[in-house]
């Protein structure tokens, strides 16, 4: 079984002068590239420095900013047979509490950072940008050794370190490349996603390694300042593959009004994942950029999670996304079926790729197609569990269903298989149950977004709170314009979901709690609300 270290050293021998990774720093107005030979040399130097402090199996925190040094740090840790903990520079705004929590949980022996970011860390810090070239003789690596700990974003709980082995990593990258129909030697990836997130790390670092291809990337702030920079990372001579959360595609539509000169004809796949996929987003993005050469079939809805490295299922490449209307009333009873009345549109995430998916009810009984339950996964990409948490690992990673099959990874996500494809309906812990009917918060949030022109996407959170008679529906809206959309919101939710909104809170931006990947953290927002901090609104 091959490891990523085996692959990097192979490409360093076979094509040492070919480009591997390119980082575009828009703040400094620079563009830097490492060849495969340079990647291997720098990884060896980094490994030698790590082993002055750490032994195989020790954890090494990656605290470098977005850039080539970050990729070298992760690979250097793998070369040294230590366990990388991909994090971020200590000065990243708004993330210090998360950083301290992860450092306490992972207990790194040392950290890798750049010279500008070595202050305030308790363990020894290696300034990766100051290392003098040193050779490192490779040691045998067992494919089942851990490559890194991927800390989850914590949308429904505290962050946990997912244990990713070399075997898991290679398996999932292979599944992703096969699903993409990625053509070795003719393809590249581009990204602005943070490298400390699973998709950012796999898309930028992992995918090019399998066949010795290349990637170009920038940082999230550069994308947010000018989202067209995402598309401009592409090489005109190669097929281009990329990925982003749903909000990124909405953001491009809103923030790129002048599209003259943009060429998206080389983009073969825009993978859309990491959060609920809105049909309206797919339609708007396609229409906005069709004139730039965008192929409507390049929009690829997908599903995945860190516990499976990153990738589980995706729509068929070169096929336009499948958006299916389902009966809204049946959906509240946990069934997908053709509509006989009002409808709810759901986006297909395609079939599972190189892994098995079953849908199970709360008792662990497998459900037939079309029935909504918890998504359970088995395959070579399913990781080993959570670092230093055997109880939670047993609960999540070792499920046995009533038919005796197992072990299964319990994802905590709700969905159904319909015509052989996966439809994701929400998070189990976010499910809103009122009068015995199931409602998914993202469906209600989408209705609210579309009810009033002043409401910004991704600025609404919906959840329920207990009351003596029934669950009460709460809506929090980050709202800055003078007009009051409360009545419009109530009417839209009643009309489309037959629900009474108990409380609409118009709040300042930043009120809704978010994960480190920007998704609404409804559970912690609900806790904040129940603590009495938001009870003075409409």
């Amino acid at each position: 079984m091959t490891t990523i270290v085996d692959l990097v050293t192979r490409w360093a021998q076979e094509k040492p002068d070919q480009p591997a990774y390119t980082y575009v720093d828009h703040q400094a107005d620079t563009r830097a590239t490492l060849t495969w030979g340079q990647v291997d040399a720098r990884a060896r130097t980094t490994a030698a420095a790590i082993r002055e402090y750490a032994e195989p199996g020790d954890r090494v925190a990656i605290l470098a900013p977005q850039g080539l040094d970050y990729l070298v740090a992760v690979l250097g840790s793998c070369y040294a047979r230590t366990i990388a903990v991909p994090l971020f520079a200590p000065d990243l705004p708004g993330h210090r509490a998360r950083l301290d929590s992860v450092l306490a949980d992972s207990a790194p022996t040392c950290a890798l950072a750049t010279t500008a970011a070595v202050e305030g860390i308790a363990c020894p810090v290696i300034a990766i940008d100051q290392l003098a070239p040193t050779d490192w003789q490779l040691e045998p690596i067992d494919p089942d050794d851990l490559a890194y700990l991927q800390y989850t974003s914590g949308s429904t709980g505290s962050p946990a370190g997912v244990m990713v082995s070399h075997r898991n990593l290679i398996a999932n990258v292979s599944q992703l490349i096969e699903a993409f129909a990625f053509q070795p030697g003719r393809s590249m990836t581009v990204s602005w996603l943070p490298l400390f997130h699973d998709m950012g790390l796999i898309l930028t670092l992992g995918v090019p390694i399998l066949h010795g291809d290349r990637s170009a990337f920038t940082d999230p702030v550069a994308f947010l300042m000018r989202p067209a920079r995402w598309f401009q990372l592409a090489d005109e001579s190669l097929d281009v593959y990329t990925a982003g959360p749903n909000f990124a595609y909405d953001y491009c539509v809103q923030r790129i009004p002048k599209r003259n000169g943009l060429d998206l004809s080389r983009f073969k796949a825009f993978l859309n994942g990491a959060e609920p996929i809105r049909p309206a987003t797919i339609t708007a993005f396609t229409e906005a950029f069709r004139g730039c050469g965008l192929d409507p079939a390049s929009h690829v809805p997908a599903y995945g999670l860190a516990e499976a490295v990153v990738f589980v299922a995706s729509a068929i490449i070169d096929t336009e996304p499948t958006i299916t209307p389902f009966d809204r009333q049946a959906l509240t009873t946990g069934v997908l079926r053709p509509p006989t009345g009002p409808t709810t549109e759901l986006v297909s995430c395609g079939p599972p790729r190189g892994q098995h998916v079953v849908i199970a009810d709360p008792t662990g009984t497998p459900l037939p197609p079309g029935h909504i339950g918890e998504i359970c996964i088995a395959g070579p990409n399913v990781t080993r569990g959570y670092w230093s948490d055997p109880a939670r690992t047993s609960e999540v990673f070792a499920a046995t269903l009533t038919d005796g099959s197992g072990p299964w990874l319990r994802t905590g996500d709700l969905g159904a298989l319909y015509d052989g494809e996966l439809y994701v309906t929400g998070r189990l812990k976010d499910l809103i149950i009122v009068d015995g009917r199931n409602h998914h918060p993202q469906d209600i949030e989408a209705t609210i977004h579309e009810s009033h022109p002043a409401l910004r996407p991704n600025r609404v959170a919906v959840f329920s709170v207990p009351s003596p008679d029934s669950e009460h529906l709460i809506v929090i809206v980050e709202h800055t314009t003078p007009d009051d959309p409360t009545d419009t919101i109530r009417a839209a939710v009643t009309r489309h979901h037959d629900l009474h909104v108990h409380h609409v809170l118009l709040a300042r931006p930043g009120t809704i709690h978010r994960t480190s990947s920007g998704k609404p953290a409804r559970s912690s927002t609900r806790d904040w609300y129940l603590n009495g901090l938001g009870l003075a609104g409409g």
Side-chain angles (χ1 to χ4, degrees), residues 63 90 96 99-100 103 117-123 125:
L63 304 180
R96 185 67 205 208
L99 178 63
D100 290 342
L103 291 176
V118 299
E119 300 296 329
I121 303 300
C123 64
V125 179

Side-chain angles (χ1 to χ4, degrees), residues 124-375:
V125 179
I126 300 168
I128 190 172
D129 55 340
Q130 298 296 313
L131 296 177
T134 306
D135 194 20
W136 171 256
Q137 297 303 313
L138 294 179
E139 300 173 352
I141 299 174
D142 188 322
D144 290 319
D145 286 346
L146 295 184
Y148 61 95
L149 302 181
Q150 179 66 60
Y151 275 82
T152 62
S153 56
S155 60
T156 59
S158 59
V162 176
M163 299 186 287
V164 181
S165 71
H166 288 272
R167 187 185 301 276
N168 297 147
L169 177 57
I170 293 296
N172 204 227
V173 169
S174 300
Q175 292 161 343
L176 185 57
I177 282 179
E178 183 177 353
F180 265 0
F182 196 91
Q183 298 297 314
R186 292 172 35 200
S187 306
M188 70 178 298
T189 66
V190 301
S191 179
W192 53 267
L193 298 169
L195 295 173
F196 57 86
H197 281 299
D198 47 10
M199 180 52 79
L201 187 65
I202 297 301
L203 184 67
T204 303
L205 176 75
V207 171
I209 284 179
L210 198 65
H211 296 294
D213 291 297
R214 61 176 298 194
S215 70
F217 66 110
T218 189
D219 65 272
V221 173
F223 165 74
L224 292 173
M225 294 293 291
R226 286 182 54 194
R229 290 167 169 166
W230 183 12
F231 310 138
Q232 293 163 351
L233 291 167
D235 186 307
E236 295 179 357
S237 64
L238 297 173
D239 293 341
V240 183
Y241 297 78
T242 190
N246 191 83
F247 92 84
Y249 299 98
D250 283 328
Y251 193 75
C252 288
V253 172
Q254 299 157 11
R255 297 296 298 272
I256 311 178
K258 297 180 179 179
R259 300 168 186 136
N260 294 338
L262 283 180
D263 182 5
L264 275 61
S265 63
R266 301 298 305 184
F267 283 80
K268 298 301 181 183
F270 284 95
L271 189 147
N272 186 338
E275 61 187 22
I277 302 166
R278 299 176 59 238
T281 298
I282 294 174
T283 301
F285 186 79
T286 299
E287 292 306 313
F289 294 99
R290 190 188 297 270
C292 302
L294 175 71
D295 181 354
S298 66
H299 206 125
V300 183
Y303 167 74
L305 69 167
E307 287 83 349
V309 181
V310 67
F311 175 68
V312 173
S314 69
I316 305 298
I317 200 81
D318 294 331
T319 302
E320 291 192 32
T322 299
I323 301 173
T324 307
F326 291 108
D327 189 274
R328 184 175 297 159
Q329 181 61 35
L331 191 63
T332 67
T333 67
V335 178
L336 300 186
R337 72 181 185 205
T340 57
T343 65
T344 293
E345 288 187 330
L346 297 178
V347 178
S348 167
C349 289
R353 302 303 189 131
Q355 49 204 292
H356 302 287
V357 170
V358 299
I359 308 298
D361 72 9
T363 69
T365 301
L367 293 172
H371 288 254
I372 297 171
E374 185 173 10
I375 300 169

Side-chain angles (χ1 to χ4, degrees), residues 431-510:
L431 188 66
I432 296 169
I433 304 175
V434 178
D435 297 330
R437 294 183 296 137
N438 298 336
H439 300 272
H440 300 281
Q442 69 272 16
D443 294 339
I444 302 172
E445 290 162 0
T447 294
I448 294 170
H449 286 312
E450 295 165 4
S451 71
H452 196 284
L455 299 181
R456 296 175 58 197
N458 304 302
R459 291 293 181 264
V460 176
V462 173
F463 51 85
S464 63
V465 298
S467 71
D469 52 339
S470 177
E471 291 283 301
H472 282 171
L473 186 66
I474 308 299
V475 175
I476 297 182
V477 179
E478 294 180 349
H479 185 64
T480 57
T481 60
D483 53 336
D484 186 344
T486 298
D487 291 342
T488 301
I489 289 171
R490 292 183 185 276
V493 173
T494 298
R495 181 170 63 254
H496 291 286
H497 302 278
D498 193 23
L499 286 170
H500 169 71
V501 178
H502 178 74
H503 183 206
V504 176
L505 172 64
L506 304 181
R508 67 182 185 278

